[in-house]
Amino acid sequence: MALDTTEITTRRPASVPTLAGLNALEAEAVDLFVGLAQVVGLPKSIGQIYGLLYISTAALSLDDIAGRLDISKGSASQGLKFLRSTGAVRSCDDHESRCDHYEAETGLRALATGFLKEQIEPHIKSGEGRLVRLKRLAAAAPASERAHVVQRVKQLETWHSRAAGLLPLLIRFLGK
Amino acid sequence: MALDTTEITTRRPASVPTLAGLNALEAEAVDLFVGLAQVVGLPKSIGQIYGLLYISTAALSLDDIAGRLDISKGSASQGLKFLRSTGAVRSCDDHESRCDHYEAETGLRALATGFLKEQIEPHIKSGEGRLVRLKRLAAAAPASERAHVVQRVKQLETWHSRAAGLLPLLIRFLGK
DNA sequence: CGATCAGTTCAATATTTTTTGAACAGAGAG
DNA sequence: CTCTCTGTTCAAAAAATATTGAACTGATCG
C-alpha cells in the first residue's frame, strides 16, 4: 500500500516539526493572518508568511517558508521583502547557517506604525496637492455653483487634516 | 475642420452643465475619491460615483451618473446600492420626476460609521471564533512549544480587544 | 391593456493583481 | 576558478475582481 502524499499536509501529527506542510495550529494561525491581510488589502501570501512566522517557535529561512506554505520562492522572497520594509519581520542573522532566518516582529505599535507609514501616509501626503488643485478649480467655478463647491472643498480640507491628525493618535493608542 | 470628439470631455467649458462628460472641477473631485476608494479597497466605480455626487450641486439620477461618468447602468446601480447600504448616499425622492435622485451624505461621522460597521466590524466579530479555536489548539501543542504558542495567542487576544475598542473611539474622533 | 421608462440582476468579459518559475547575481566552499 | 547554495527579478500565467450589457421586473403613463 502506497502513501497518500496528497493529504500528508493535514494528516501529519501536530507534534512532529515538519519540513513541508503545516500542523493544525499553524494552519489556523496562517488562516487568521490571511484574513487580516485581506482586510487591509494585502496579498494572501503576505498574510501566510507573517502568520507562519508569528506562530513559529524558531526563526525560519526563506526555503522553509516557501516549503511549509507551498508557495514559490519568488512569492516568499517578495513577501518577505515587503514585510521587512514595513518592519513586520526581522532577519535574525543566525551564524550557524549560511542562509538568513526570519522572525516576526510582534509589537503592535511597530506593526501599526510600519503599516500606517508605508500604506496610509503617502496617500495623505499626495492628498495635499490634490486639494490645492481642487481649491483653485472651485474658486473658478461659475457663480451659480461657486458657493456650493467652495464649501465642499473646505470640508475636504477638514477631512484631510482630521485624517492627518488621526495617524499619530492611532499609533499612540496601539502603542503601549 | 471637424470637431475632435475624443477630447470633448476635457475641452467643454466649466460653466456649462453637461449631459455627458465632466468639467475640470468634477474630474478632479472624482479623481480624488477614486484614489480614496482604492486606499480603502473599494472599486474605482464607487469612488467615481461618490466623488461626482459629492461635488455636484444638484442631486443626480442613475442615468445622469452613468452618462456623466461613462460607466454602465449596471455599474452605477451596483455602486449606488453599496453606497446607500453604507449610508454614504441618500436618495432624495424628488416628486417632480419619475426617477430617483441621489445625493452624497457629507457628514464624516456618518460616512466613517457606515464604512467601519460594514467593512471592519464583521471581521473583528469573526475573529472571535478564530481566537477560540486557536486557543484550544495552542493548549494542545507539544510541551516544547506550548509556552511560546500560548503566549502568542494571548497576544492576539490583546490585539483583538484593542481593535474592538478602537472602533468606537475612531467614530468619536471623527464625529464632531 | 400595451408601451415606455427606471432600475436590478447576473453571466460573460475585461481588467487588475498576484503568483509562478526560470534566468540571473553574488557569496562562500572546495 | 568553478560549483553550489541563497536569494532576487521579472516576464508570463493564473487567479481574483470589477465592469459590461442584455434579459428581466415592476411601475407609471396614455
Side-chain angles (χ1 to χ4, degrees):
Chain A
M1 73 195 189
L3 269 167
D4 180 1
T5 55
T6 66
E7 287 193 10
I8 205 163
T9 298
T10 51
R11 294 244 230 95
R12 197 185 297 274
S15 56
V16 179
T18 56
L19 250 159
L22 305 176
N23 63 41
L25 173 62
E26 290 167 336
E28 187 70 35
V30 165
D31 259 21
L32 185 141
F33 282 98
V34 167
L36 202 57
Q38 285 178 329
V39 173
V40 300
L42 260 30
K44 183 176 151 182
S45 62
I46 286 180
Q48 292 178 288
I49 296 168
Y50 185 82
L52 178 59
L53 290 175
Y54 185 85
I55 204 65
S56 285
T57 303
L60 300 176
S61 72
L62 188 149
D63 280 310
D64 289 340
I65 293 167
R68 302 280 289 279
L69 294 172
D70 192 34
I71 63 180
S72 68
K73 265 202 321 171
S75 262
S77 173
Q78 287 181 182
L80 282 169
K81 183 171 150 184
F82 172 86
L83 287 166
R84 265 175 294 154
S85 84
T86 61
V89 157
R90 280 189 302 274
S91 75
C92 59
D93 27 59
D94 170 356
H95 293 293
E96 307 301 301
S97 164
R98 187 129 71 104
C99 66
D100 294 340
H101 285 246
Y102 303 96
E103 60 186 14
E105 164 64 54
T106 62
L108 187 49
R109 169 175 229 153
L111 290 172
T113 304
F115 178 77
L116 294 173
K117 277 227 158 34
E118 187 123 341
Q119 307 291 302
I120 307 297
E121 205 170 75
H123 290 282
I124 292 182
K125 282 244 152 61
S126 80
E128 281 158 30
R130 285 215 147 108
L131 281 174
V132 169
R133 256 174 298 152
L134 258 185
K135 213 170 174 177
R136 254 199 285 281
L137 289 166
S144 62
E145 300 176 359
R146 188 152 48 227
H148 174 262
V149 298
V150 164
Q151 185 273 329
R152 288 285 151 104
V153 173
K154 280 222 178 82
Q155 187 175 43
L156 281 179
E157 284 178 320
T158 309
W159 290 9
H160 182 265
S161 64
R162 288 253 172 98
L166 189 55
L167 244 48
L169 246 55
L170 264 182
I171 290 172
R172 191 132 57 86
F173 177 80
L174 298 168
K176 160 60 206 342
Chain B
M1 71 189 192
L3 268 168
D4 180 0
T5 56
T6 66
E7 287 192 10
I8 203 163
T9 298
T10 51
R11 294 244 231 96
R12 197 187 297 275
S15 56
V16 180
T18 56
L19 251 158
L22 305 177
N23 64 42
L25 173 63
E26 289 168 335
E28 188 69 35
V30 165
D31 259 21
L32 185 141
F33 281 98
V34 166
L36 202 57
Q38 284 177 330
V39 173
V40 300
L42 259 30
K44 182 176 151 184
S45 62
I46 286 179
Q48 292 177 288
I49 296 168
Y50 185 82
L52 178 58
L53 291 175
Y54 185 86
I55 205 66
S56 285
T57 303
L60 301 176
S61 72
L62 188 149
D63 281 310
D64 289 341
I65 293 168
R68 302 280 288 281
L69 294 171
D70 192 33
I71 62 180
S72 67
K73 263 199 325 165
S75 263
S77 172
Q78 288 182 179
L80 282 170
K81 183 170 150 185
F82 173 86
L83 287 166
R84 266 175 293 152
S85 84
T86 61
V89 157
R90 278 189 302 275
S91 76
C92 59
D93 25 59
D94 170 356
H95 294 292
E96 307 300 301
S97 165
R98 188 131 70 106
C99 65
D100 294 340
H101 284 246
Y102 303 96
E103 60 187 13
E105 163 65 54
T106 63
L108 187 49
R109 170 175 228 153
L111 289 172
T113 304
F115 178 77
L116 293 173
K117 276 227 156 41
E118 187 124 340
Q119 307 291 303
I120 307 297
E121 206 172 74
H123 289 282
I124 292 182
K125 282 244 152 64
S126 80
E128 282 159 29
R130 285 215 148 108
L131 281 174
V132 169
R133 257 175 297 152
L134 258 185
K135 214 171 174 176
R136 254 201 284 280
L137 289 166
S144 63
E145 300 176 0
R146 187 151 48 224
H148 173 263
V149 299
V150 165
Q151 185 273 328
R152 288 284 152 105
V153 173
K154 280 222 179 81
Q155 187 174 43
L156 282 179
E157 284 178 320
T158 309
W159 290 9
H160 183 265
S161 64
R162 288 252 174 97
L166 190 54
L167 244 48
L169 246 57
L170 263 182
I171 290 172
R172 191 133 57 87
F173 178 80
L174 298 168
K176 162 44 209 342

